[in-house]
Amino acid sequence: MKLQKGWRLLSTAALVAVLAVTGCSQQAAPAQPGSSGGATGQAPQADSGGQADMTAMLKLNLKTEPPSLDPPKGFDSTSNEVLNATMEGLARLDKDHKPQPAMAEKWTVSEDGKTYTFTLRDSKWSNGDPVTAQDFEFAFKRILDPNNAFPSAFLAYYIAGAEEFNNGKGNADGVKVKAVDDKTLEVQLKAPAGYFLHILTQPTFFPVNKKVAESNPKWSENASTLVTNGPFKMEDWVHDQSVQVVKNDGYWDKDSVKYAGIDWVMVNDENTQFQMYKTGQLDMVQTVPNDMKKKLIDSGEAKVESEASIYYYRMNTKMPPFTNVNIRKAFALAIDRQTLIDNVVQGKQAPALAHVPFGFPEPTGGDFREKGGDFIKDNDIEQAKALLKKGMEEEGWTTLPTVTMSYNTSDAHKSVAQVLQEMYKKNLGVDVKLENKEWKVFLSDQRARNLQFSRSTIPADYGDPVNFLELFVTDHPGNRINYSNKEYDALVEKIRNTADETERFQLMHDAEKIFMDDMPLVPIYFNTKVFMDQENVKGIIRHPVGTLDYKWVEIGKK
Amino acid sequence: MSNYLVKRVLMMIVTLWIIVTLTFSLMHAIPGNPFASESDQLPEQILNNLRAKYNLDQPLPVQYVLYLKNLLMFDLGPSIKSDSRGVNDMISDGFGASAWLGAQAISIALVFGILFGIIAALNRNKWLDYVAMALAVMGVAIPSFIMAPLLINYLAIKVTIFPVATWGTWMHTVLPSLALAFGPVAVITRYMRASMIEVMNQNYIRTAEAKGIPMWIIVIRHGIRNAILPVVTFLGPLIASLITGTFVVEKIFAIPGIGKYFVDGIFNRDYPVILGTTIFYSAILIVTIFLIDIAYTLIDPRIKLTNKER
């Protein structure tokens, strides 16, 4: 009896002990991503005056697992960041954000702007196969196959026959993409689109190795089966943990690649990321903690670059009081954007006094926004008061119908909404109610056109102003506020069918003017990216529209 | 005993089925859908293609039956958000890291919780007791999202003993384990202290003292064993929640565990991930509780599993 008791006691103790021992003694030793950035990154101290270190690895943070490295499937900035380093389409954006020959050596465009003929250069896939026009034809048709249900398929709708195939009304043969021979690809558009080459720089249009994808449908799921054609090739991919790519020696422009590869970790916490940057475990951070933003920008540690993206509030034109154009204008004029930016958002954003953001070059040089100029004045309180009064008289209202501002739950959006609420109270004497909803609930309400006054941040899907303009065509799913103007709809349609770029840009300026006269938005600011690069890292390219490009990075010896 | 086991296992399966059914209906009742994103360009046709791909175009009862069918084959389905991996892959890839951290944290919590509890109880109302209790109150009051950055700041930045974050070597596991263990240490300390005080006032302890048995033997042989039951009860849910990962600590330390799926799944309306994680957590919880019930009888022979044996 006593013995048994003793055994039980012992076994209890042993259980505890075993837990403790297994918990502490063994050394878990999987691969070592990001533990010290790899020995290669720590070259001995040599005063080399900023010479590029060909053996260095670039240490980056991807934040999360890339949803998919199948080019048309990902369609998100995380997947695209890896794809843009490991693959390459017919064209690639250069340092000035213009499409330049990449996999295609050159191209010709027909008179009517509808037929593009690409001549491919000699380049190899990471498995040694040559990159052929057939790979591109296969890839482009694959984007549109309804069975694949790729979210980015709509980007290919410019190609003749594409939309029909994707809708299930046509078939693959109807898509006007054709490999004339191994090196020649012909693409026919259904209407001229001056920005088609820019669209082609997007990861959706990267080639897919036909042989690989046909023999293994799961080719894009692991590092060992991924076959790529870009500046880097996959070395290692530990899901939810790290991605490692190394220089691809089969890449046509390998001499421009001046370092050994990229080590991505996945750290999805703003403060942790910042700490890792400070301790040298990361070479670059693409965001900084909100409460340190101002300090870091002021001290010059963090830099700011503009991004083709706008933050605005939408006014539902079927819900009073926003049925009245003068009241809508009053709401757009009555806020002090600069104060909001300086004290609350703090990222050196530009006050938005129009609809289309900065970042779209004009065919004759200059920027679309700069040429278009401002449509309203920031903080124009007197005018706002007068317009509000006029609008109320027109509608015969003595008191303004209740206005409710909706935003998705987040501290940043909340503080913006609170400041706007205060400004409307002070400048217009209007009491605005605030309401927040969880993201997906907010989105579905907004899309159902059920929200009266609601926020949005709209980035560009591709590099052309029409990207923003077409959202407010009467039936567009992006409309969300029942905005409808026949003249505007007709103009956007005309823009889509105009081949002459100078004329097309003029039409886009006209369309923006009509839109701003109707003022269904309260534009607030044009977005910026606030980032930090380590001093020895140069040449990371940030496009206003498009993916981060690491091809031309140089890592100086420390 | 074998009758009891069969009954228990059947009960566990029924419980799981109820959980699956409830979760299934609740999650489809949340407004919003998995394909809503800020991009406005997705035409209706593409959304329809996507819905069809994940069977979301079928009526809910059909989807429910399909899901149960797959579940019987232990297939938790694809993730809507991540194309590369299904829910099974996500859990099998991430569970190792989460369980590892959880096991370390539980070990730390048990060892220090029990130790502090005993020390406090034996020194009741003396300064050691006050220190232990102050620590316990702090542990309960300070949430892990404060504790974790503090640990990083002092042990990874000011003194660079440990790496800031990410996963790899054993050194990477130290800070997150500490951050995870802090709360449970506090709770266990308090349970242990309370029940130890009660036990040490029992007559059999006095008898043992009168026999002249050294104090440390009394504490180990008669004290701990009788006092540990409340801690064991607490251990069941604690094990289940710690080894299945925690959202906050895994996020701060960039641990490739499964904690984030519990939260992200819901934000993304990634239905298979919501169901998969819920089922996984429930299964672990149910099994742990079962094991704890068995552990009771080992620790205290007075407890019987079935009425019949009484």
Side-chain angles (χ1 to χ4, degrees), chain A residues 8-299:
Chain A
R8 279 198 187 129
L9 181 70
L10 229 140
S11 65
T12 319
L15 193 87
V16 174
V18 165
L19 270 174
V21 169
T22 51
C24 307
S25 70
Q26 278 184 43
Q27 301 238 332
Q32 281 199 20
S35 56
S36 65
T40 45
Q42 299 164 341
Q45 291 214 336
D47 194 14
S48 57
Q51 225 179 29
D53 182 354
M54 298 292 285
T55 60
M57 296 289 282
L58 187 61
K59 293 166 285 178
L60 300 172
N61 181 14
L62 205 50
K63 293 206 169 170
T64 60
E65 166 85 356
S68 174
L69 294 186
D70 190 344
K73 168 77 189 184
F75 197 46
D76 62 277
S77 56
T78 312
S79 307
N80 283 355
E81 187 174 333
V82 179
L83 283 169
N84 208 37
T86 51
M87 298 185 98
E88 186 165 273
L90 293 164
R92 193 179 193 95
L93 293 177
D94 66 6
K95 290 162 199 183
D96 303 318
H97 325 302
K98 293 244 170 65
Q100 298 296 346
M103 277 296 120
E105 193 174 12
K106 57 180 195 254
W107 51 73
T108 54
V109 186
S110 65
E111 276 289 300
D112 62 358
K114 285 192 191 173
T115 307
Y116 285 70
T117 311
F118 298 91
T119 309
L120 267 57
R121 44 172 117 236
D122 291 324
S123 192
K124 285 202 165 55
W125 289 99
S126 53
N127 68 354
D129 294 348
V131 181
T132 64
Q134 284 84 2
D135 290 331
F136 276 96
E137 183 187 333
F138 172 73
F140 286 15
K141 289 184 174 168
R142 188 170 167 270
I143 299 171
L144 295 156
D145 189 337
N147 295 325
N148 292 331
F150 289 136
S152 64
F154 71 92
L155 283 173
Y157 282 5
Y158 297 93
I159 300 172
E163 194 167 356
E164 290 76 9
F165 181 32
N166 197 236
N167 283 344
K169 286 178 197 133
N171 55 37
D173 294 334
V175 182
K176 297 288 181 209
V177 179
K178 201 173 140 219
V180 180
D181 56 48
D182 281 0
K183 292 277 169 231
T184 314
L185 184 78
E186 201 181 89
V187 181
Q188 275 181 41
L189 306 188
K190 68 177 174 198
Y195 45 96
F196 184 63
L197 285 170
H198 196 289
I199 292 182
L200 284 183
T201 64
Q202 297 221 17
T204 299
F205 295 92
F206 288 172
V208 169
N209 187 312
K210 194 176 171 195
K211 274 187 257 166
V212 171
E214 279 177 342
S215 63
N216 176 14
K218 290 176 178 288
W219 64 280
S220 64
E221 294 178 11
N222 287 295
S224 55
T225 50
L226 262 162
V227 174
T228 64
N229 69 326
F232 299 94
K233 58 183 181 190
M234 291 297 279
E235 179 75 14
D236 193 32
W237 179 8
V238 186
H239 292 294
D240 264 321
Q241 193 173 329
S242 63
V243 175
Q244 190 183 54
V245 299
V246 296
K247 193 173 165 179
N248 176 12
D249 284 324
Y251 179 59
W252 67 274
D253 194 19
K254 67 178 161 60
D255 295 340
S256 297
V257 181
K258 299 234 164 58
Y259 61 109
I262 305 173
D263 270 323
W264 273 288
V265 291
M266 300 176 197
V267 178
N268 194 17
D269 184 86
E270 202 63 69
N271 292 311
T272 308
Q273 176 190 253
F274 183 71
Q275 303 283 32
M276 290 178 73
Y277 175 84
K278 286 304 248 184
T279 51
Q281 293 170 64
L282 290 174
D283 283 333
M284 182 275 279
V285 289
Q286 199 50 22
T287 47
V288 301
N290 254 332
D291 43 358
M292 302 185 68
K293 216 187 243 176
K294 192 175 167 63
K295 200 178 128 212
L296 290 170
I297 294 173
D298 289 348
S299 70

